[in-house]
Amino acid sequence: MAANFWVSSHQKQLKTKEELERTSNLRDKLELQLTSEDIRRIKMHFVTEIQNLGKKLFLRQRVIASAIVYMRRFYSKCSFKDHSPLLIAPTCLYISSKVEECSIQSPAYKISGEMKKLDNTWPYTTNDVLMCEFYILECLQFFLIVYHPYRSLIDYLSDCKLSKGPMDMAWNLLNDSYCTELSLTCSPYIIALAAIYIASTVCEVDLRGWFSELNVEMREVMAASSELLEYYESIKRMEKERALMTPISALLARIPAKSSQNTSHPMHNNTSYGQQRISGRF
Amino acid sequence: MLATASPSEPCCAIFLFVLATHKHDLADLRFCNLPRHQEAKHSEGENAKYESMCLVGEGTYGFVFKAKERASQKKVAIKKFKATKEGEGISLTAYREIMLLREIDHENIIKVRDVAIHPEEKTLSLIMDYAEYDLSEIIRYHHHTLQTPPTPYSIKSCLWQVLNAIHYLHSNWICHRDLKPSNILVMAEGPEQGLVKIADFGLARIFQSPLRPLCENGVVVTIWYRAPELLFGSKHYTRSVDVWAIGCIFAELLTTNPLFPGKEKDTKNPNLFQDVQIEKLFQVLGKPNQHMWPDINALPDWKTKNPSKWKGTLIEKKWNQYPEAHPDNLRKVQNMPNDNHAFDLLSRMLEYDPTKRINTADALDHPYFKEDPLPGANMFRPAGSKYAPAPYPARQPMKAQK
């Protein structure tokens, strides 16, 4: 429900890390020979795309964050091969701008226009975005209300009284959490606590007493923290091994772009999509 | 014939809808089958999952059809949203309604059983439980045919269930914003007979932390049920606008007449000053003053704040004729019963000052609901009495429009 995370569809859809790894992008691993690491990099690439697009359209952070969650939920059931992220990512932003009632005039038109400006080879049209809207909504089973950790973070920060430095760091960590799959596996309040935990540890502020009085499962906070730290590790690693790695453009080239089969009438092409739906049971 | 998908080949099916009168409206639907996944063969006519019976409602949002699920023979209501302008995709009304109804689970709120998408027309339909009655029809039947109000038991049971649903919404930070008798449905038969179901969430909003102010959706709440603070231009939507609407509906149940039957000026211009509607409030309740409503001077369209808006209006001319606001003014309403507890609850719901208006929790706790007759889940008859058909004629099909 709107105010109660514990009975929300968001809470019911949370998966364990292992479940998520098992069901996500199955076809891509088999048929496009993408590794889990490749898939993670592709998703990160499109998270950045959504952020850039959102900034161009002056959308609020929450709208961008919801779009990222929609995209991640979508690919926890469907594959890049069947549904190019080039279309799915901007359409997720289109959907979240409607859900949060940002009154952009003719958003689909604006979004496809901005996409063309960002990438003049972008192979889709406004009409493709409008068709894709149905696609994504159906895959998300019309569960559109997303809980973000921002509110929890504000509440916790006002309670634990961090100074400005670690506080800003916690905010940055929280924003970076969208580069990970934490929003699909963790309750938002755990993500907020993980951000505070890392920030306080790095800045050497002793919050152990505060955490122990919270009455939360510290194991979950630790697990979320280590996933967040893993993300920074992987960034560092990528920086170092850049020369050795397949460039992201080469990875993206492996994903079939617009094909007449799955974009002209995506709703009537029920085979590829139907195959993926089996995992969509909550 | 329906075929269930074999587990190895799950498939989204395309269903074909066949309608006697609305072939063009519901043809070529695709059902999303929430939450089960079923498959039906896509072929002409006989394999359709639902069989449409007739059009039963129409509004700015679109159409409502009565239909039957072939497999279970269960009646359903299919709410088909109108397509938006070219290039706008699925309407915001449809978004609001579906995203809230997907989260809500309450016995007094209508449930979405399935969603059908119409990609070609760029719109969708919700398949919901079918409720034979709505309060506006029930009240009309009492007014014109029976010429007596519903029984005290029926009124109390209905009001309690409405409050119960709205209390659930309010405690989840959802404001319905469009409560009126035609949005309050009542089940006619089966185990849910006499159960009230709130419908039409096309204007409902979560108000916990909206990114855009709630007032930017234009003026909401059908004018007869619109709270005074909204009529005086308030930009702050609170839960109390729903309570005011419930108060108006309560009075309508008691007397079978609408309490404030004003006339909306130009529905296309939502910012107009609705002095005709305000005049109805003043006639019945008296004119409010700063003493009983301290914030009134801060409202954008109140007399002292915006005298130019009042200039030359009916309410300015008749200002001296209205009594000062007092709860007892309400007693003079035609057919208003003398029941003290019912009257007390009503006058607390129709409190001018939204901060003093009763909230849903306190309303549910009011002595009115604790004295005989106690409210029940079947508003037609108390628990323990023998099952009988509902005492109202079935919904009449609407004439199909081009």
Side-chain angles (χ1 to χ4, degrees):
Chain A
M1 271 307 304
N4 189 347
F5 170 75
W6 297 107
V7 292
S8 67
S9 64
H10 185 144
Q11 198 273 336
K12 288 177 197 130
Q13 287 178 82
L14 291 181
K15 293 179 177 177
T16 65
K17 223 177 142 186
E18 293 71 34
E19 275 173 333
L20 198 63
E21 175 68 28
R22 220 175 23 242
T23 58
S24 298
N25 304 80
L26 220 53
R27 281 175 74 117
D28 301 327
K29 288 174 202 161
L30 295 169
E31 296 171 30
L32 301 179
Q33 273 90 48
L34 293 170
T35 63
S36 295
E37 175 76 17
D38 294 338
I39 289 167
R40 224 161 47 124
R41 284 174 60 204
I42 293 170
K43 283 182 183 168
M44 261 161 62
H45 174 79
F46 283 99
V47 165
T48 319
E49 290 274 284
I50 290 177
Q51 282 166 340
N52 291 341
L53 187 58
K55 274 176 205 144
K56 283 257 188 271
L57 293 162
F58 304 105
L59 293 174
R60 300 277 293 265
Q61 183 57 33
R62 195 166 91 192
V63 182
I64 295 171
S66 290
I68 295 168
V69 174
Y70 295 155
M71 181 183 76
R72 291 192 179 277
R73 282 188 189 168
F74 184 87
Y75 285 116
S76 73
K77 297 172 204 165
C78 300
S79 63
F80 296 141
K81 182 164 191 259
D82 297 321
H83 307 282
S84 168
L86 280 173
L87 179 58
I88 298 296
T91 310
C92 284
L93 192 65
Y94 169 61
I95 292 172
S96 70
S97 76
K98 285 170 101 173
V99 167
E100 296 284 1
E101 311 217 0
C102 320
S103 66
I104 346 174
Q105 290 292 303
S106 37
Y109 180 77
K110 289 237 171 69
I111 282 178
S112 59
E114 283 300 332
M115 280 307 288
K116 280 261 190 264
K117 270 191 236 164
L118 287 170
D119 170 12
N120 60 9
T121 62
W122 192 64
Y124 299 97
T125 62
T126 308
N127 198 45
D128 291 324
V129 172
L130 293 172
M131 282 305 229
C132 188
E133 180 184 15
F134 284 93
Y135 235 162
I136 297 175
L137 288 180
E138 192 187 5
C139 179
L140 298 177
Q141 297 193 302
F142 301 89
F143 290 124
L144 298 171
I145 296 179
V146 176
Y147 291 77
H148 294 293
Y150 299 114
R151 177 177 283 271
S152 307
L153 188 72
I154 293 169
D155 292 347
Y156 287 132
L157 283 177
S158 76
D159 189 49
C160 72
K161 310 214 164 41
L162 279 179
S163 59
K164 177 113 180 37
M167 198 157 112
D168 289 347
M169 185 187 258
W171 275 104
N172 289 334
L173 283 155
L174 197 70
N175 282 332
D176 287 343
S177 76
Y178 288 95
C179 295
T180 69
E181 302 256 58
L182 276 174
S183 56
L184 303 194
T185 57
C186 270
S187 304
Y189 78 102
I190 294 285
I191 303 175
L193 286 175
I196 293 178
Y197 180 79
I198 298 175
S200 66
T201 313
V202 173
C203 301
E204 295 177 343
V205 183
D206 189 358
L207 281 183
R208 276 177 300 184
W210 182 77
F211 271 105
S212 67
E213 279 169 23
L214 274 181
N215 196 22
V216 292
E217 195 57 77
M218 265 325 266
R219 257 184 325 169
E220 289 180 40
V221 179
M222 295 302 189
S225 306
S226 67
E227 198 167 333
L228 208 44
L229 291 173
E230 238 171 71
Y231 160 70
Y232 293 107
E233 288 298 317
S234 74
I235 298 269
K236 254 191 243 161
R237 200 168 58 237
M238 277 193 253
E239 291 292 323
K240 236 194 269 166
E241 299 168 7
R242 178 158 298 206
L244 301 169
M245 280 195 319
T246 328
I248 187 87
S249 56
L251 291 179
L252 294 181
R254 281 198 227 162
I255 299 170
K258 187 176 182 174
S259 70
S260 59
Q261 194 208 4
N262 66 7
T263 52
S264 63
H265 289 291
M267 305 320 299
H268 294 157
N269 166 25
N270 58 22
T271 45
S272 57
Y273 185 49
Q275 298 286 342
Q276 294 289 342
R277 277 184 62 112
I278 191 164
S279 57
R281 218 181 297 130
F282 310 123
Chain B
M1 206 182 83
L2 274 164
T4 313
S6 70
S8 58
E9 286 178 88
C11 185
C12 269
I14 297 164
F15 295 88
L16 199 75
F17 223 99
V18 175
L19 292 144
T21 49
H22 301 285
K23 204 158 186 154
H24 59 288
D25 282 318
L26 286 172
D28 198 18
L29 295 195
R30 212 176 104 99
F31 289 92
C32 301
N33 290 310
L34 306 168
R36 287 162 291 117
H37 302 295
Q38 282 183 340
E39 183 195 5
K41 273 261 163 63
H42 170 65
S43 82
E44 292 299 315
E46 58 194 35
N47 292 336
K49 190 175 173 192
Y50 299 100
E51 177 187 355
S52 174
M53 296 159 83
C54 57
L55 179 72
V56 290
E58 191 186 344
T60 46
Y61 56 84
F63 304 93
V64 180
F65 299 92
K66 179 179 176 179
K68 202 156 64 184
E69 188 177 35
R70 282 183 195 272
S72 65
Q73 291 292 300
K74 222 181 138 138
K75 283 183 207 146
V76 295
I78 300 186
K79 181 171 186 173
K80 184 174 194 255
F81 290 98
K82 274 184 188 151
T84 51
K85 274 185 288 174
E86 185 70 28
E88 303 262 316
I90 300 165
S91 69
L92 282 184
T93 315
Y95 260 91
R96 287 192 202 115
E97 181 144 27
I98 194 166
M99 66 191 239
L100 288 173
L101 287 178
R102 282 300 271 153
E103 302 284 328
I104 291 169
D105 182 16
H106 191 273
E107 60 169 3
N108 291 124
I109 296 172
I110 205 87
K111 277 191 181 56
V112 175
R113 298 154 60 91
D114 205 350
V115 182
I117 52 184
H118 320 247
E120 292 307 322
E121 298 168 50
K122 304 254 173 14
T123 185
L124 45 81
S125 301
L126 304 183
I127 291 94
M128 300 183 279
D129 291 327
Y130 180 73
E132 191 67 59
Y133 308 121
D134 66 55
L135 271 196
S136 79
E137 284 167 49
I138 289 178
I139 292 169
R140 194 182 312 139
Y141 186 72
H142 276 277
H143 185 85
H144 290 292
T145 311
L146 302 174
Q147 296 181 347
T148 60
T151 63
Y153 168 81
S154 290
I155 295 177
K156 195 183 286 185
S157 303
C158 177
L159 184 71
W160 191 89
Q161 293 185 54
V162 171
L163 281 166
N164 189 32
I166 303 304
H167 177 62
Y168 169 84
L169 291 179
H170 285 181
S171 40
N172 282 294
W173 299 87
I174 296 170
C175 217
H176 185 287
R177 306 201 304 172
D178 194 23
L179 283 171
K180 53 186 170 186
S182 58
N183 285 344
I184 296 170
L185 310 181
V186 186
M187 303 298 282
E189 48 192 29
E192 291 202 313
Q193 189 190 51
L195 204 64
V196 170
K197 303 267 183 190
I198 306 289
D200 204 342
F201 284 69
L203 280 174
R205 285 279 306 268
I206 298 173
F207 56 95
Q208 191 173 36
S209 52
L211 285 183
R212 286 160 50 76
L214 294 164
C215 64
E216 282 185 35
N217 291 129
V219 177
V220 298
V221 181
T222 315
I223 192 145
W224 290 2
Y225 307 94
R226 193 175 292 171
E229 62 272 26
L230 301 180
L231 292 169
F232 294 129
S234 168
K235 300 279 182 267
H236 301 286
Y237 280 87
T238 59
R239 295 169 236 222
S240 43
V241 301
D242 285 341
V243 175
W244 177 274
I246 300 172
C248 298
I249 295 164
F250 185 20
E252 199 166 328
L253 281 165
L254 291 167
T255 68
T256 74
N257 288 310
L259 187 60
F260 307 121
K263 200 166 180 298
E264 183 155 17
K265 287 173 160 181
D266 189 4
T267 45
K268 289 193 187 73
N269 183 350
N271 293 321
L272 268 184
F273 187 53
Q274 302 286 354
D275 57 310
V276 182
Q277 182 65 32
I278 296 170
E279 137 87 358
K280 294 285 169 193
L281 268 60
F282 286 0
Q283 273 180 6
V284 174
L285 299 171
K287 54 191 174 196
N289 53 55
Q290 198 188 353
H291 176 65
M292 41 87 67
W293 186 356
D295 296 336
I296 196 165
N297 287 333
L299 292 173
D301 293 344
W302 176 242
K303 204 170 188 290
T304 50
K305 186 101 175 178
N306 197 347
S308 62
K309 256 202 174 156
W310 284 57
K311 212 168 168 67
T313 60
L314 195 62
I315 41 176
E316 193 202 40
K317 283 180 211 144
K318 290 171 73 181
W319 179 255
N320 290 324
Q321 297 169 29
Y322 303 120
E324 290 293 330
H326 190 278
D328 281 342
N329 295 339
L330 198 54
R331 289 197 192 271
K332 297 181 195 117
V333 172
Q334 200 194 350
N335 300 334
M336 187 60 77
N338 241 339
D339 176 341
N340 273 329
H341 282 148
F343 184 81
D344 181 71
L345 178 58
L346 178 64
S347 61
R348 282 164 192 269
M349 290 175 149
L350 296 175
E351 180 65 60
Y352 265 118
D353 185 345
T355 62
K356 292 182 190 157
R357 206 171 295 151
I358 194 167
N359 62 31
T360 47
D362 291 342
L364 287 167
D365 206 29
H366 193 274
Y368 171 62
F369 292 115
K370 295 181 176 153
E371 64 177 8
D372 272 339
L374 293 174
N378 180 346
M379 69 169 273
F380 303 141
R381 63 186 63 81
S385 48
K386 230 173 86 194
Y387 185 87
Y392 302 107
R395 201 184 277 274
Q396 290 299 304
M398 286 176 72
K399 285 227 174 77
Q401 295 193 350
K402 273 274 164 194

